[in-house]
Amino acid sequence: MTRELVLHDWLVAGIALVSGGVAGLVLRALMKWLGRLALRTAWSGDDVIVDALRTIVPWSAVVAGAEVAASALPLTARVRGLADQSLMAVLIVIATLSAARVVAGLVQSVAAARTGVAASASIFVNITRIVVLALGVLVALETLGVSIAPLVTALGVGGLAVALALQDTLANLFAGVHILASKTVQPGDYIRLTSGEEGYVVDINWRNSVVRNLQNNLVIIPNGRLARTNMTNFSRPEQKLSILVPVGVGYDSDLDHVEKVTLEVVDSVMADVTGGVPDHKGAVRFHTFADSRINFNVKLGVSEFSDQYRIKHEFIKRLHRRYREEGISIPAPTRTVSLQHDGPGAPPSLPHQWETSPEVLADRRS
């Protein structure tokens, strides 16, 4: 100390600390008010910035009050220097945490805007947050007078051992980065693996990919496996896709009339049903002379993969009703069976024939 502490010094230091705390509370309330205003805007970036400032601004006021209190006390140069360095390091750590939240939030907003879904690829968010925090810690240590050169060297040597111990984890990490960088799979895409797993990609994090199937269950797939396997991405190059519905009509049907009626049903489904593509041009393609009917495929358009079930449901209902109104038959498969009972002592009998469907024949046999 340069002189003895007096009551005035304690009063000034106490007033400075209390003022810093009160200013922090006032600024925190102000940040909450700004946060409510930011929620009313369409841009999500201001929400992230205000949320980060909600932490750094009040704590900066507290640190400023502590700095004024330290300057009011008659401290030695060494103690004063340690106090200044400590307060500066605290401020750097607070700023680093706020910066990490801002940058990570902006990365998440950009990823969500590019993919068009609420959830984003958290792998980039986590990598960004770790990089910012690491830089902030290094700057804080340098401010405290700790040499970071030996620390960086030790981390480099130890990093090799860690990399060898975490080969699978690092392989999944880089596989996830490769998947997102190549844009083969993005959050929101509907994919199907050759092993049978399928669903919407919810997130791609540092270790695995999260897929939500149509039963609303989560399927966890390691990034390395996702990068190596064959898959079908139903959302690339666009979400709209075409589906085929098999139909069959009797041999006595007028095929031109069948085609005309079917296309009218297709147009009505595309225009009225949610998930249809109004500008889709339907198509009817006859392809097989089957045993009891002529088979053909009907081409329908859907906005995205899961809409196909609703579209098929409505199309089959409307087509069946329209065929009944137009007198177009959809025959069931039939089979002619001849039974002849000839045995020792049995009188000769003529063959008995039935023309029936396989279902009815199975019931009779049982």
Side-chain angles (χ1 to χ4, degrees), residues 1 21 28 44 49 119 198 208 211 235 240 244-245 294 314 324 358-359:
M1 293 184 181
R28 183 176 179 83
S44 60
I49 295 174
E198 63 178 270
N208 50 55
V211 176
S235 301
K240 294 180 181 179
L244 297 179
V245 178
I294 298 176
E314 290 294 332
R324 293 184 64 181
E359 293 81 3

Side-chain angles (χ1 to χ4, degrees), residues 19-39:
S19 300
V22 172
L25 294 176
V26 173
L27 290 173
R28 183 176 179 83
L30 178 62
M31 290 297 104
K32 288 184 178 180
W33 177 72
L34 291 177
R36 289 193 294 269
L37 291 180
L39 291 175

Side-chain angles (χ1 to χ4, degrees), residues 243-249 258-277 280-286 296-302 307-324 328 330:
I243 60 174
L244 297 179
V245 178
V247 187
V249 296
V258 170
E259 183 176 7
K260 176 178 178 296
V261 170
T262 305
L263 291 177
E264 291 176 356
V265 175
V266 171
D267 293 338
S268 68
V269 171
M270 293 293 97
D272 302 339
V273 181
T274 303
V277 182
H280 172 76
K281 185 175 180 57
V284 173
R285 296 293 181 263
F286 298 95
F296 60 94
N297 289 325
V298 182
K299 181 182 177 183
L300 301 171
V302 295
D307 291 332
Q308 63 177 304
Y309 304 105
R310 185 189 310 110
I311 296 298
K312 287 181 179 180
H313 170 77
E314 290 294 332
F315 173 72
I316 291 175
K317 285 201 309 182
R318 297 189 184 192
L319 186 66
H320 181 260
R321 181 170 61 248
R322 185 66 185 279
Y323 277 7
R324 293 184 64 181
I328 300 174
I330 307 177

Side-chain angles (χ1 to χ4, degrees), residues 109-227:
S109 300
V110 172
R114 291 176 65 96
T115 58
V117 294
S120 64
S122 61
I123 183 172
F124 288 144
V125 177
N126 292 332
I127 290 176
T128 303
R129 184 181 290 113
I130 291 173
V131 170
V132 174
L133 291 176
L135 292 176
V137 170
L138 292 178
V139 173
L141 291 176
E142 186 71 22
T143 302
L144 291 174
V146 178
S147 178
I148 62 174
L151 179 62
V152 173
T153 303
L155 290 177
V157 175
L160 180 60
V162 173
L164 293 176
L166 301 176
Q167 292 185 32
D168 292 340
T169 301
L170 293 177
N172 288 321
L173 172 63
F174 289 113
V177 174
H178 170 71
I179 290 172
L180 291 173
S182 62
K183 296 183 179 181
T184 55
V185 177
Q186 296 290 319
D189 292 352
Y190 192 96
I191 62 173
R192 177 184 294 162
L193 277 60
T194 53
S195 55
E197 296 89 349
E198 63 178 270
Y200 291 97
V201 178
V202 177
D203 187 22
I204 301 177
N205 54 45
W206 61 277
R207 182 172 177 80
N208 50 55
S209 300
V210 182
V211 176
R212 185 185 302 275
N213 59 25
L214 296 180
Q215 291 76 33
N216 204 31
N217 297 320
L218 296 181
V219 181
I220 311 301
I221 305 172
N223 292 333
R225 179 187 169 197
L226 187 65

Side-chain angles (χ1 to χ4, degrees), residues 1-23:
M1 293 184 181
T2 57
R3 59 181 175 82
E4 293 293 332
L5 283 172
V6 296
L7 181 61
H8 179 268
D9 297 331
W10 290 110
L11 288 176
V12 172
I15 292 173
L17 289 175
V18 172
S19 300
V22 172

